Amino acid sequence: MIISLRGIVVLGIVLMPTSFAFAANPDDAYIAGYAAGVLKHDLKLDMPPLTVRDGVITLPVDGLEASDRAKAVQLLWEIPGVNAVKTSEATGGQPIGSYSNTAQISGDEAASGTKSTLLSTGLLPKGHLFKPLIADTRWAHFSAAYHNFQSKNFDGRDIASVSFGETIPFYRSNFGKSAVQWETGLQAGVFSDFNLGASSSDLLNTDFIVSAYSSLRADQFSAFARLYHQSSHLGDEFLLRKVNTKFERVNLSYEGVDLKLSYELPYGVRVYGGGGGLFHKEPSALKTWSAQYGIEFRSPWRMDFASMRPIVAADIKNYEENNWSTDISARAGVEFENLQVLGRKLQVLAEYYNGYSPSGQFYKEKVEYIGLGAHYHF
C-alpha cells in the first residue's frame, strides 16, 4: 500500500504538540497549598509550605518513617499538575513534627541536603524511571524533522524523518521500604523516512521496533533493559523507481537484548552507556554485538522570558557489523516549558549525524546529514 507524506504529516499534526494546545496546569503556589492540605488530612502531618518549582514538589522527610514516605509521595503524585516529587533530607535534619513553625525551604537550601526523586507507584504510573535519550535516533517518541544529506549515497538529499511511539510503564513499585524503584512496561516506535525531492515524496524506509522493558532507579543512578524486535521495510514508490536498477532489498528482521546504565551528575549533566546483542537474525550473517554511550546537558537554569531551557546531547553507537566504527548523533536546542500537553514538553533541536545509516534497509550505507527537528516525549 502506498503511504503518502501528506497522510503522515496530518497524523503528526494531530498527535504532536505542534498544534500548540495548552494544558491547564495549576500554578506552583496552588500545588504547594494543596499538598500541605493533603498531607495534613490524610497523614496528620503538619508541614511547612512546601517548595514547588515548575510542578516539582520538594518534600522534607527527616524523621519520617519509610512507609509514611511512600504514602506521602503517592498522595503528592496524585495532585493535578505535579510533574515530580523530590524527597530532601536537609543536613542537620529536624524531626518531621517540628516543621509546623519553620520557614519555607528554598531551592538552594534543599539542594544542600540529600535529595532523591520518587515517582508514583502502582498500575499505569506517571513518569519514567529512565529518562529518554535525547540524541538516540531510535528512541521511541513523537518527532518530525528535516534532514539535509551531505552524502550522495542515500536516496535524495532532502529527507523528512518522522517517528511515532512511546515508552509506557505498566507497573512500578519500590524495593521494600527503600527509595529504590523499579518498573516494567512496553516500548514501541515507528520510524519513517521520505524523499522530499521525489515527485510524490516517496516513502523510503520504515523501521518497526517493539520491546518489553524493565527499568530501575536509585537516586541519580538508573538502568534500562529490554527485549526487542525490529523489522525494516522499503516504501512502495521507492521500489517502483528502483525496479530496473541493481538495488538489493534486504529482508531485515531480528530480535535483541540490551542494557543501558545512566548517572546524573550536578548541573544538569548526564552520562550513560551500555551494550547489547542480536539473535534470530535475518539475514543470518548479521554480526551480533553493539555498544552505545553518550552525554547530555539539560540546563538547570531556565530562560524565564521565554520559559525555555537549553539542552545539548551526543549519542555514540558502535556495531560489530560495521567493524566497530563510530556512528555519532548530536542534537542541540531548547526545551519549551510553556508549550505543554499532558504535562510533557516540546523540544526544538538542531541535528547532526555521521555514520552508518540508522534506517534499517540502508544499514550498509555511510551517511552524513544536518537538520532541524521537533521532538515530543510523553
Side-chain angles (χ1 to χ4, degrees):
M1 182 179 67
I2 296 178
I3 303 176
S4 69
L5 175 61
R6 182 179 300 174
I8 294 291
V9 171
V10 169
L11 181 59
I13 291 173
V14 171
L15 293 176
M16 287 183 58
T18 49
S19 60
F20 298 105
F22 291 83
N25 290 324
D27 62 25
D28 291 343
Y30 172 85
I31 294 174
Y34 196 130
V38 166
L39 295 176
K40 173 69 174 178
H41 180 269
D42 290 34
L43 296 180
K44 312 302 181 188
L45 296 176
D46 289 316
M47 304 294 292
L50 299 175
T51 299
V52 182
R53 183 173 298 176
D54 300 327
V56 178
I57 299 176
T58 299
L59 174 69
V61 294
D62 295 305
L64 193 62
E65 295 293 333
S67 58
D68 287 336
R69 292 188 188 191
K71 292 177 183 177
V73 169
Q74 187 66 30
L75 288 170
L76 296 180
W77 254 108
E78 294 171 357
I79 297 174
V82 171
N83 295 322
V85 178
K86 293 186 177 182
T87 62
S88 175
E89 295 188 28
T91 56
Q94 281 178 287
I96 194 74
S98 68
Y99 279 137
S100 57
N101 295 319
T102 62
Q104 179 175 355
I105 300 174
S106 71
D108 293 338
E109 290 169 339
S112 67
T114 302
K115 267 190 177 181
S116 61
T117 302
L118 296 177
L119 301 187
S120 60
T121 58
L123 291 172
L124 298 176
K126 295 193 293 184
H128 299 100
L129 296 182
F130 190 90
K131 295 180 181 179
L133 301 181
I134 297 172
D136 186 349
T137 59
R138 286 301 180 264
W139 188 269
H141 70 295
F142 288 77
S143 71
Y146 164 75
H147 295 151
N148 180 260
F149 278 68
Q150 309 300 297
S151 52
K152 297 181 179 180
N153 55 341
F154 198 74
D155 188 72
R157 289 290 191 93
D158 299 313
I159 305 297
S161 297
V162 297
S163 69
F164 305 91
E166 195 44 66
T167 304
I168 304 173
F170 288 162
Y171 183 80
R172 181 182 300 134
S173 183
N174 290 58
F175 281 102
K177 296 182 179 181
S178 72
V180 180
Q181 296 185 298
W182 65 272
E183 72 183 27
T184 186
L186 175 71
Q187 185 182 69
V190 179
F191 304 84
S192 296
D193 300 310
F194 297 85
N195 183 355
L196 298 179
S199 58
S200 60
S201 298
D202 298 355
L203 171 63
L204 302 180
N205 175 86
T206 298
D207 294 333
F208 297 90
I209 304 175
V210 61
S211 69
Y213 81 89
S214 183
S215 60
L216 174 147
R217 186 173 189 89
D219 294 330
Q220 278 66 53
F221 170 81
S222 59
F224 184 92
R226 63 174 181 163
L227 170 66
Y228 68 94
H229 165 83
Q230 175 171 337
S231 61
S232 301
H233 307 271
L234 292 169
D236 294 338
E237 300 98 329
F238 174 82
L239 286 173
L240 289 173
R241 282 196 293 109
K242 297 295 183 178
V243 68
N244 294 321
T245 70
K246 295 182 179 180
F247 181 83
E248 181 182 356
R249 176 187 174 276
V250 179
N251 188 26
L252 186 66
S253 177
Y254 50 80
E255 282 72 49
V257 292
D258 58 23
L259 171 67
K260 301 176 183 69
L261 306 177
S262 167
Y263 192 82
E264 295 167 26
L265 300 166
Y267 303 107
V269 177
R270 176 195 189 192
V271 293
Y272 62 88
L278 305 180
F279 59 94
H280 289 172
K281 302 171 290 184
E282 189 174 355
S284 59
L286 281 175
K287 295 180 180 178
T288 301
W289 303 109
S290 64
Q292 180 179 5
Y293 44 98
I295 185 169
E296 299 176 351
F297 170 72
R298 180 181 277 102
S299 174
W301 303 283
R302 185 177 67 180
M303 301 177 186
D304 289 330
F305 70 92
S307 294
M308 65 183 185
R309 64 182 75 240
I311 53 177
V312 180
D315 180 83
I316 298 172
K317 296 179 181 178
N318 306 100
Y319 293 93
E320 183 186 11
E321 176 68 26
N322 299 325
N323 296 317
W324 301 106
S325 66
T326 298
D327 302 338
I328 182 167
S329 169
R331 294 175 178 173
V334 293
E335 182 176 83
F336 291 93
E337 297 186 348
N338 60 337
L339 301 179
Q340 295 195 24
V341 180
L342 301 177
R344 301 300 181 258
K345 299 165 186 176
L346 173 68
Q347 299 170 347
V348 177
L349 304 173
E351 305 181 12
Y352 173 78
Y353 184 86
N354 191 326
Y356 283 89
S357 174
S359 301
Q361 287 288 330
F362 300 90
Y363 72 96
K364 295 180 180 180
E365 303 292 336
K366 200 161 189 178
V367 300
E368 181 181 19
Y369 65 71
I370 57 175
L372 182 68
H375 300 264
Y376 183 72
H377 298 268
F378 279 91

